[in-house]
Amino acid sequence: MNTPERYVLLNPGPVTLTDSVRAALAGRDMCHREQAFSDLMTEVRQQLLDVYETAVADWTSVLITGSGTAAVESMISSLVQSPNQSLVCANGVYGERMTTMLQRAGKAPIQVRSEWQDDIDFAEVENRLRQHNSIKYVIAVHHETTTGRINDLDRLAELCVKYDKRMLVDAVSSFGGERVDFENWPLDAVAATANKCLHGVPGIAFVVVRRPCVQDKTCASSLYLDLATNFAAQEGGLPAFTPAIQSMYALHQALCELHDGGGWSSRHDMYRQRTLRVTEGLTGLGIAPLLPSPTVRSAVLTAYRLPEALDYETISTPLQKERIIIYAGQKQLEKIIFRIAVMGDLDDHDFEKLFRVLRNVL
Ligand SMILES: *Cc1c(COP(=O)(O)O)cnc(C)c1O
């Protein structure tokens, strides 16, 4: 098989693959009703629990065939039962998207919205928790990829404990690369995907969830995304629907590599070093991060202000010619920022090339 040309993906997933993950994609033809697939699925579900050493008796993982959004929608539309039963903290595209999902499911949440460059509005969250007894779940994005902010879930968790609420978290762009505190946050479920910090390919997403939450019948409006149905089928060894089998091969290999490389904390450290390097390099070229405080920025992705008088294409096009892909801002940030993620199989030369091209542009 010919190896395709190497692309350096600095977008927030999919990522530049290791050769071994790419090779895994070309595994043997397999039916998902073979015992071999059942074994593979069971192993991958366990590997996902092992990422954060959460493999205690009351947690499980449920695989969903689809992108990260499918897992998030499966999580919240299966667990939230009714309108006003949840509070969504929204300070970016992905928080707001969860509000839309629940509205569409006829389970509109109470939303506490902040400006995208701002922190979660904790004072307002506390007001709402005090006012509304109906709230059972507090829903938040861990790493808001819109701006590269790590939301302060320690602080949110404290509020949830104080008011006796459970947390549902979109960790799509942080699972495997940032600290997710399964011990101290009052979590009921966390949704994520194969093709971001785990370095797999698109096609499989998943929800890590407390077993009691999926053991009863849920009230999901969707058949395909019903968490309890998928859980029951997977526990029985047969997926409810045809899974992305080749993505499963790749995810299995990627999770082995995460484990062999020292787990999520080593990967986090590696991302930190890369991000430090990129931020220093860009600062040297007069390009500043969007979020001034380094402590709120993720290790995974940083948003940078576009230099005055330069639009996104002026920067991204010459990079693309060199097979380096960066990421534009969304909606109101489209003209203001660009984003660089550091996930995937990258090396020093990739960053040297990034700086060289940018220096020429500027
Ligand atoms: C990438 C992402 C998603 C969903 O992504 P898909 O495009 O559906 O895979 C959801 N939430 C966050 C925070 C993300 O970064």
Side-chain angles (χ1 to χ4, degrees):
M1 209 171 62
N2 294 330
T3 314
E5 255 179 330
R6 183 165 188 279
Y7 269 73
V8 175
L9 299 188
L10 303 181
N11 51 287
V15 301
T16 298
L17 301 177
T18 60
D19 291 339
S20 36
V21 168
R22 184 177 297 102
L25 283 168
R28 79 153 167 101
D29 296 334
M30 187 182 281
C31 171
H32 59 289
R33 300 200 154 244
E34 287 183 55
Q35 185 60 42
F37 185 78
S38 183
D39 294 346
L40 175 65
M41 178 179 69
T42 302
E43 193 178 335
V44 167
R45 290 178 62 216
Q46 185 59 45
Q47 284 177 304
L48 290 170
L49 290 180
D50 290 343
V51 172
Y52 289 96
E53 292 160 9
T54 51
V56 285
D58 58 335
W59 286 91
T60 188
S61 65
V62 182
L63 304 169
I64 302 285
T65 304
S67 78
T69 305
V72 173
E73 191 153 15
S74 172
M75 171 177 75
I76 63 179
S77 70
S78 300
L79 299 182
V80 175
Q81 288 149 350
S82 49
N84 296 325
Q85 199 199 26
S86 61
L87 181 150
V88 171
C89 307
N91 58 344
V93 169
Y94 298 100
E96 292 180 7
R97 184 181 285 178
M98 291 197 288
T99 298
T100 308
M101 287 171 180
L102 287 169
Q103 286 168 340
R104 295 235 182 152
K107 301 169 180 181
I110 292 157
Q111 179 175 252
V112 174
R113 191 185 177 279
S114 326
E115 293 306 317
W116 288 3
Q117 298 182 38
D118 292 345
D119 212 349
I120 289 174
D121 185 346
F122 290 102
E124 187 57 18
V125 170
E126 180 153 22
N127 278 339
R128 296 307 188 101
L129 293 181
R130 208 182 286 124
Q131 283 163 9
H132 302 278
N133 275 330
S134 60
I135 297 169
K136 178 176 178 193
Y137 294 112
V138 173
I139 303 177
V141 178
H142 184 209
H143 171 211
E144 189 40 272
T145 320
T146 312
T147 55
R149 175 188 295 272
I150 287 288
N151 278 321
D152 188 352
L153 295 196
D154 290 324
R155 188 163 168 197
L156 192 66
E158 275 174 32
L159 282 177
C160 291
V161 169
K162 181 170 170 191
Y163 291 92
D164 198 22
K165 310 297 177 193
R166 308 297 302 170
M167 290 169 81
L168 306 178
V169 171
D170 168 349
V172 174
S173 62
S174 53
F175 192 96
E178 299 280 353
R179 180 178 63 90
V180 181
D181 194 339
F182 280 90
E183 229 172 298
N184 296 306
W185 299 347
L187 291 167
D188 266 359
V190 168
T193 192
N195 61 276
K196 292 195 184 183
C197 304
L198 298 182
H199 297 184
V201 303
I204 297 177
F206 58 91
V207 181
V208 175
V209 55
R210 279 189 195 278
R211 278 177 178 270
C213 301
V214 283
Q215 265 155 350
D216 302 331
K217 287 263 170 297
T218 64
C219 41
S221 35
S222 159
L223 172 84
Y224 188 75
L225 296 179
D226 181 41
L227 209 50
T229 303
N230 281 285
F231 169 70
Q234 290 169 27
E235 281 291 276
L238 288 175
F241 312 102
T242 310
I245 291 167
Q246 284 70 23
S247 296
M248 196 77 79
Y249 292 157
L251 179 56
H252 176 258
Q253 176 64 27
L255 286 164
C256 290
E257 291 173 18
L258 175 65
H259 178 266
D260 294 347
W264 77 266
S265 60
S266 301
R267 182 153 295 174
H268 176 78
D269 293 344
M270 177 179 81
Y271 289 166
R272 263 282 167 248
Q273 279 171 11
R274 288 176 178 175
T275 288
L276 210 62
R277 172 132 198 244
V278 173
T279 304
E280 277 172 12
L282 295 196
T283 306
L285 296 170
I287 298 174
L290 173 73
L291 303 175
S293 165
T295 58
V296 305
R297 289 184 226 140
S298 75
V300 176
L301 171 143
T302 309
Y304 298 94
R305 286 183 184 280
L306 282 163
E308 297 268 339
L310 277 191
D311 60 11
Y312 177 72
E313 280 69 31
T314 315
I315 292 181
S316 64
T317 306
L319 283 168
Q320 197 191 345
K321 284 193 184 122
E322 296 288 333
R323 298 197 293 277
I324 297 177
I325 306 299
I326 60 170
Y327 214 51
Q330 285 151 293
K331 298 185 184 169
Q332 61 260 41
L333 291 176
E334 192 185 332
K335 301 260 183 289
I336 299 174
I337 64 165
F338 65 98
R339 291 175 287 174
I340 291 187
V342 296
M343 293 171 274
D345 187 37
L346 308 174
D347 63 32
D348 268 0
H349 301 295
D350 300 328
F351 295 112
E352 277 158 25
K353 197 156 134 189
L354 170 75
F355 297 142
R356 180 157 39 77
V357 177
L358 283 179
R359 212 175 293 124
N360 284 339
V361 172
L362 295 165

